[in-house]
Amino acid sequence: MPETASTYHNPVLLMPSIDAMNIAPRGIYVDVTMGGGGHTREILSRMDADSHLYSFDQDADAETNAPAGDSRFTFVRSNFRYLRNFMRYYCHDHDIDAILADLGVSSHHFDSPQRGFSIRNDGPLDMRMNQKSGLTAAQIVNNYDETALATLFHNYGELNNSRQLARAIIKARALHQIETTTQLIETLQPQLGRDREKKDMAKAFQALRIEVNQEMQALSEMLKAATQLLRPGGRLVVITYHSLEDRMVKNMMRTGNTEGHEEKDFYGNISVPYTSLTRKPIIPTAEEQEANPRSRSAKLRVGIKV
């Protein structure tokens, strides 16, 4: 069965996120993570003839889901870390009405064994969102030293046994290169407790994926650019899937930087770049979580640019 946009990715928190964008006439909108195009198509369905939508994706596979023949739409094949460069190229700076980011890995990536993202399927240890980029998960696993491996498992996977995982990899790769997802799973499995084996294995894969794609650095750059590009009253709408992403988004909305450092003016007032519409993040309904298990960790945060 050929893959369609609907099977490529089932969009999470579709209506709450698009409602939060507050689509209005003559608006300029950006979807920085087009993927299967579900959010993009819903935005377009609410726009008038004088509005425009720019949708970003670095994955060549996603471009096949771009709406065709709509003069209100522009597809940008790029990592969203270059958001400001492209928006200034298209003559938009401080005038964007809403920016949407759905930070999750698409169903398409998890369901494609050859992409190497999932613990469910055997495939090459790749994990690149942009397959033209150089670094693969296999290169990290086979070339990083023990300290570097332990650091990424600790920082990006939040795994307490990161040092043991790193040592297991060093020992295994001395005998043979670790080239597939199955080989990596077999290497790490003895270091994981049975009660948390699947969760911790998924965290180890997450850590490698984040390192391969420089996700934290890219997210930081995108959030900074979004804050610069949005007009006063414009909206930043972000769906996160793990605590590292969520913390960065919350910090940016609260302090204007992803580290959460509070900056004060001469009078000691804290500079707040956004008014938060979601003090507590919006989460999927029980029905959505049942229908789409991938949505269970999702959180939606919305900020209005001050």
Side-chain angles (χ1 to χ4, degrees), residues 92-112:
H92 294 294
D93 200 0
H94 302 92
D95 68 342
I96 295 175
D97 292 277
I99 295 172
L100 169 70
D102 177 3
L103 301 178
V105 179
S106 74
S107 308
H108 165 74
H109 289 133
F110 278 125
D111 294 339
S112 302

Side-chain angles (χ1 to χ4, degrees), residues 179-226:
E179 300 287 356
T180 69
T181 55
T182 297
Q183 288 175 330
L184 180 60
I185 289 169
E186 290 172 348
T187 299
L188 300 181
Q189 211 162 30
Q191 310 304 317
L192 303 176
R194 288 193 175 184
D195 56 330
R196 291 187 52 84
E197 184 179 306
K198 285 187 178 180
K199 286 186 178 180
D200 285 351
M201 190 71 74
K203 286 184 176 182
F205 270 59
Q206 170 188 292
L208 286 167
R209 189 199 78 221
I210 289 173
E211 179 75 2
V212 167
N213 298 289
Q214 296 188 311
E215 291 178 30
M216 296 296 98
Q217 298 91 326
L219 177 57
S220 179
E221 291 174 33
M222 184 276 288
L223 291 171
K224 181 179 179 180

